[in-house]
Amino acid sequence: MPADDFEGTHTLLSDDYAGALARTVDSLVPYADRGLVRLDDPWLEEEPDGEDCREAWEAVRDRFERAPGDDASSREAWRVELVDDGTGLDALSRLVELAGGIAGRHFVFEVELAREGRTALSAMPHHSDLRVDADALPEAAFAAAEDALSGLPACLVADEFREWEADGRRWRVGPAVCKETLDERRASCYGIANLRGVAVAADGTTLRLSWGLDGPVSDDPIGKALTWTLEKLYRPPAALPCGDAERAERVATFLAETLRRFDGREIRGEA
């Protein structure tokens, strides 16, 4: 099942995608019986790490079986059985590790884990996307995935987007804060990893939000110019109208708790 069609329950929020992907996959493999990768072969010829990708794939290819029924466009699907002597896990882990490279995160186009015929994890490295279906896993498996992310700026965020209408807009809060016109013609989303503070305004129904980007691209003139441009284009909402006090409190608690799990950040009352 391609990632675009996968309906997971949780999305990865991370500032270290390759590390989080590797840890999540390793933590869930004991609960899975099949792994699947979709590979984009032209990236084997790309610098700087295409050669590394080619060497890794040649080393583990005999552990995988072609699965043409799972191909996505020109990306070939390959299946690996995980209920064996551990070599299936080693082969899959070696490919997952390639996501730390420029060519690797494109060559390994998608990664999936399945349990009893149901997809439990779907990841698309070049989009830094990873989703998990907690309903397809035992409770202990999902807990293991959360524990595996400890020590990284990362956490799994429930995809049950809190959605409501206020001030002539539709608002959603989950891994991102999103606002959309009611006619659905315009929408914008801002990842909550850049959220620096949240506080309930005096009216009790609005949240004050403060945001930030992580420093200049570089200290040279070009880097400073790019940073200035990014800051001008980056216009997240400074206020989040919630419509009522109960929702305001629930959303503020969700944001604060998620970022505390993400990297230990304490943002409540800092807007």
Side-chain angles (χ1 to χ4, degrees):
M1 175 184 294
D4 287 347
D5 299 325
F6 177 62
E7 295 182 1
T9 60
H10 292 72
T11 295
L12 175 70
L13 180 69
S14 179
D15 278 348
D16 179 3
Y17 178 80
L21 170 65
R23 290 195 188 188
T24 306
V25 168
D26 284 351
S27 70
L28 292 181
V29 159
Y31 303 93
D33 49 44
R34 175 184 60 78
L36 185 136
V37 292
R38 293 186 180 88
L39 304 178
D40 199 351
D41 284 350
W43 284 92
L44 295 174
E45 308 302 323
E46 297 294 328
E47 296 294 339
D49 54 303
E51 180 64 28
D52 295 336
C53 295
R54 184 163 45 255
E55 290 179 0
W57 179 227
E58 289 174 354
V60 302
R61 186 169 184 163
D62 63 345
R63 296 295 308 161
F64 288 80
E65 177 187 359
R66 269 288 280 132
D70 290 313
D71 287 352
S73 186
S74 61
R75 287 99 183 187
E76 292 186 347
W78 294 78
R79 184 183 298 117
V80 61
E81 299 302 321
L82 299 174
V83 184
D84 60 9
D85 58 3
T87 57
L89 166 60
D90 292 341
L92 182 62
S93 294
R94 182 155 184 186
L95 292 186
V96 167
E97 289 173 359
L98 296 175
I102 295 173
R105 69 174 65 108
H106 290 83
F107 169 61
V108 184
F109 183 76
E110 287 183 68
V111 179
E112 293 183 3
L113 293 178
R115 175 185 169 87
E116 298 177 352
R118 182 173 176 178
T119 302
L121 174 147
S122 180
M124 188 176 287
H126 74 289
H127 283 169
S128 296
D129 176 78
L130 184 155
R131 282 169 280 170
V132 172
D133 184 357
D135 296 334
L137 294 163
E139 187 173 330
F142 187 74
E146 291 192 303
D147 288 345
L149 296 174
S150 176
L152 287 181
C155 66
L156 293 168
V157 184
D159 273 338
E160 296 177 357
F161 277 83
R162 293 139 183 87
E163 183 174 315
W164 67 94
E165 294 179 9
D167 288 5
R169 294 283 190 277
R170 183 176 292 110
W171 302 86
R172 298 196 312 276
V173 173
V177 173
C178 301
K179 62 178 179 178
E180 181 181 43
T181 56
L182 297 182
D183 61 11
E184 300 182 354
R185 291 184 178 181
R186 295 182 62 187
S188 55
C189 292
Y190 300 88
I192 64 173
N194 290 320
L195 194 59
R196 299 294 184 260
V198 58
V200 180
D203 67 3
T205 68
T206 301
L207 299 183
R208 300 196 312 271
L209 306 178
S210 59
W211 305 78
L213 294 172
D214 293 331
V217 175
S218 66
D219 289 329
D220 59 33
I222 294 176
K224 290 178 180 178
L226 287 172
T227 301
W228 182 87
T229 302
L230 285 171
E231 290 175 345
K232 290 297 182 182
L233 295 175
Y234 185 69
R235 301 291 296 277
L240 181 59
C242 295
D244 61 66
E246 180 183 0
R247 181 182 291 118
E249 181 61 31
R250 283 192 287 112
V251 172
T253 299
F254 165 78
L255 291 171
E257 173 61 18
T258 299
L259 288 171
R260 185 193 63 77
R261 291 193 298 115
F262 174 64
D263 62 2
R265 189 182 314 175
E266 298 291 343
I267 66 166
R268 189 68 188 266
E270 296 296 327

